[in-house]
């Protein structure tokens, strides 16, 4: 009997582990020492506790495990694990995405610089620069106008995104950068908030392209409509397929392929965010992974394509490449769960939501006794509710009605 292939899974959740198991591979799951969640070894699964963000620790663990029995692929679907997985690809010569390419996605300034260097046709160049001090904020505003956006170069989940509306707000923006760097928010420890980037403000509706690349052939599975909280720029709602014209969707698909080519990305999932403008879609940022907010569940429901499973089966040689975009059947939406700050006292309505026939998924991250932070970023949300409908509008309506039944009481 042919032995099972061997996969190194870097970080991630129990859901990622279950998707990896569907590939049939034996799995070594490297997790942070203090990471919570299931960690017991099962048949075909070995759990290694190590700080995979530390290069030397990662190198030692990967080399020791590979020497015992070689890996066929390394995959991560969590933002902090993308660069480490790419380093292992380079170290072991596994053929997947290497660090140089992966880091263009995890560092937003490198992404902007790459687009300038490649001058890919059809991709609008957005003015950008690194924040040095308060005066650099003033210079950028004078050169490129107000408002403009400030955000961490290596952040995620809309954390630390600031909109500077005028020269009189630069001092407050600089002070907020200092506050974020010194904050005790969990994302400060998970990501490097040392550098911040300034970007020209792009006005227009937000959407994203959920794609998978097969040896350089990029297939956009869906264009996702995003609903954003004006106060803090957090994506509170997502819906597929996006309610845009065929011409706009075709432009997003075309620019996505040109962007991924420019980035040198050839294999795996990607989540690329755009603002839709009268001059065409403008790239805001991109991640070399499946998007969050239950987007994987939404796509599987509407398109019958599981990008998370594909992310594991494709590098292991266990999947056929998609040649055409799949056809949608109905619509699906997810919405962020929020609550008043405080300690959770009681949760009501959860069982009723899960029992609804139109519910696709619920991922609530808190329970009684947990502390709810103020809603300043996407990671301050408490999970998501996702619902299916006859079309996108129906799905959004059902999702919001379902969410209204959930009550998280805090003290």
């Amino acid at each position: 009997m042919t032995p099972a292939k061997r996969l190194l899974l870097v970080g991630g959740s129990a859901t990622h582990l279950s998707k990896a198991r569907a590939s049939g591979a034996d799995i070594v799951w490297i997790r942070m020492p203090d990471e919570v969640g299931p960690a017991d070894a099962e048949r075909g699964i070995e759990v290694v506790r190590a700080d995979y963000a530390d290069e030397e620790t990662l190198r030692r663990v990967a080399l020791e495990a590979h020497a015992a029995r070689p890996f066929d692929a390394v995959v991560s679907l969590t933002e902090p694990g993308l660069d480490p997985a790419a380093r292992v690809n380079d170290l072991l010569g596994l053929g997947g995405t290497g660090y140089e390419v992966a880091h263009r996605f995890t560092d937003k300034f490198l992404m902007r610089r790459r687009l300038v260097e490649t001058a890919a046709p059809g991709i609008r160049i957005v003015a950008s620069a690194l924040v040095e001090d308060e005066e650099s904020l003033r210079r950028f505003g004078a050169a490129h106008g107000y408002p403009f956006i400030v955000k961490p170069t290596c952040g995620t989940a809309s954390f630390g995104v600031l909109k500077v509306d005028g020269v009189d707000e630069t001092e407050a923006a600089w002070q907020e950068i200092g506050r974020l760097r010194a904050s005790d928010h969990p994302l400060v420890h998970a990501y490097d908030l040392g550098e911040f980037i300034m970007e020209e403000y792009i006005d227009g509706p937000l959407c994203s392209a959920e794609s998978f690349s097969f040896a350089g052939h990029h297939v956009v599975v869906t264009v996702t409509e995003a609903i954003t909280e004006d106060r803090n720029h957090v994506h509170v709602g997502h819906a597929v397929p996006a309610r845009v014209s065929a011409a706009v969707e075709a432009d997003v698909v075309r620019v996505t392929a040109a962007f991924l080519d420019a980035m040198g990305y050839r294999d795996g999932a990607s989540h690329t965010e755009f603002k839709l403008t009268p001059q065409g879609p403008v790239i805001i940022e991109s991640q070399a992974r499946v998007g969050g907010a239950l987007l994987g569940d939404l796509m599987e429901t509407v398109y019958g394509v599981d990008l998370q499973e594909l992310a594991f089966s494709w590098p292991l040689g266990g999947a056929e490449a998609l040649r055409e975009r799949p056809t949608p059947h109905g619509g699906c939406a997810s919405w962020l769960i929020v609550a008043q700050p405080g300690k959770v006292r009681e949760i009501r309505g959860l069982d009723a939501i899960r029992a609804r026939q139109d519910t696709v998924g619920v991922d609530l991250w808190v329970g009684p006794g947990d502390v709810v932070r103020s809603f300043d970023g996407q990671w301050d949300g408490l999970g998501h509710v996702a619902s299916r409908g006859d079309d996108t509008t129906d799905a959004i309506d059902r999702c919001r009605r379902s969410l209204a039944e959930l009550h998280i009481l805090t003290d």
Side-chain angles (χ1 to χ4, degrees), residues 94-167:
L94 297 177
T97 302
Y99 179 78
E100 182 178 4
V101 172
H103 200 53
R104 291 173 188 154
F105 288 84
T106 57
D107 187 316
K108 295 171 178 60
F109 185 65
L110 288 184
M111 184 203 81
R112 291 294 182 202
R113 193 169 69 183
R114 175 71 177 181
L115 294 181
V116 171
E117 292 169 349
T118 56
I123 296 180
R124 175 177 165 181
I125 300 301
V126 174
S128 64
L130 291 176
V131 176
E132 300 170 358
D133 49 27
E134 184 187 339
E135 182 57 32
S136 69
L137 294 166
R138 293 175 179 268
R139 288 197 304 269
F140 190 86
H144 303 290
Y146 295 92
F148 64 86
I149 295 295
V150 177
K151 58 187 178 182
T153 59
C154 296
T156 190
S158 304
F159 181 75
V161 178
L162 311 174
K163 184 182 176 187
V164 183
D165 286 307
V167 65

Side-chain angles (χ1 to χ4, degrees), residues 6 90 116 132 149 151 159-160 198 226 229 231 239 256 322 341:
R6 198 166 191 237
D90 289 339
V116 171
E132 300 170 358
I149 295 295
K151 58 187 178 182
F159 181 75
M198 301 171 284
E229 177 80 13
R231 177 176 65 85
T256 299
L322 297 176

